[in-house]
Amino acid sequence: MYAGLFTFTALMVYGLSGLMDSALPAWSERQSPPTTEQYVRFEAPINLGDKEVADLVYAYLDMPLTGPAAEYSIGRDKDQNLTVSFYTVNERPV
């Protein structure tokens, strides 16, 4: 008897959550949370590559719940300034 009640409760919970989720807009139509930009004065040693400088920036900023910058998130802008994007564990840019 209790197994039946437990199964019924689980089906109701999953059924209601599925119905509520279907009422939400599609993922592509939802607004993503705003990202933040932070400008920090940082002077890197000479003769280092972009990845090494990005690793130094990561160690300098010491941001929680982020990992080192991936190769695809390191680049240069039109003025040859190094831009680095760090991502959280939820794959959101910081």
Side-chain angles (χ1 to χ4, degrees):
M1 181 169 122
Y2 289 112
L5 287 174
F6 180 72
T7 303
F8 176 73
T9 303
L11 288 174
M12 290 300 294
V13 167
Y14 288 120
L16 288 175
S17 65
L19 286 174
M20 291 180 66
D21 192 40
S22 65
L24 295 173
W27 283 105
S28 60
E29 297 173 2
R30 295 182 191 180
Q31 290 183 347
S32 61
T35 59
T36 59
E37 289 184 4
Q38 181 180 2
Y39 296 95
V40 177
R41 181 136 177 93
F42 179 79
E43 293 192 24
I46 301 174
N47 297 331
L48 289 180
D50 290 347
K51 177 66 174 158
E52 289 85 8
V53 173
D55 291 338
L56 286 174
V57 169
Y58 172 70
Y60 178 75
L61 294 177
D62 193 31
M63 293 181 289
L65 298 176
T66 58
E71 291 290 333
Y72 61 86
S73 65
I74 302 169
R76 299 227 173 227
D77 62 6
K78 63 180 178 169
D79 297 325
Q80 294 301 312
N81 294 319
L82 183 66
T83 59
V84 181
S85 296
F86 295 100
Y87 291 88
T88 65
V89 293
N90 294 330
E91 295 298 321
R92 301 274 185 205
V94 178

